[in-house]
Amino acid sequence: MPSAFPLPHSLPLELQVLLRGGHRCLLVYRTPGTSAEFCVHGILLNVLRRGQVDYLLLASGCELRLDWLVSVNGHRLAA
């Protein structure tokens, strides 16, 4: 299913595929300056930009900073 919105060119390929298909996924995040990680399960809907920061929008309404994302479905993202 093609995306109805433009995706940032810098968006990792793993996320581009998930955004286009409405797949449920496991996202792992790390807050900068800490070693604490947290996990979020959800369906990715879109990428939002506020100022200079991109956020992933989940079907639940949750918004998560893209630059804090560590892995998707167990696959670490390229730095």
Side-chain angles (χ1 to χ4, degrees):
M1 164 190 341
S3 175
F5 46 86
L7 298 175
H9 296 297
S10 61
L11 193 66
L13 181 59
E14 298 94 332
L15 291 178
Q16 291 179 36
V17 171
L18 291 169
L19 281 166
R20 285 185 168 85
H23 302 283
R24 184 167 178 77
C25 58
L26 171 65
L27 306 169
V28 176
Y29 278 82
R30 180 177 300 128
T31 305
T34 73
S35 60
E37 292 186 350
F38 62 95
C39 300
V40 177
H41 288 271
I43 297 173
L44 301 178
L45 292 182
N46 204 343
V47 177
L48 309 171
R49 179 166 277 256
R50 292 200 180 91
Q52 298 298 313
V53 179
D54 289 323
Y55 294 85
L56 292 175
L57 173 63
L58 304 183
S60 65
C62 184
E63 296 178 12
L64 300 165
R65 283 182 66 124
L66 183 57
D67 58 343
W68 293 3
L69 186 60
V70 174
S71 69
V72 178
N73 292 337
H75 301 284
R76 292 193 82 74
L77 300 176

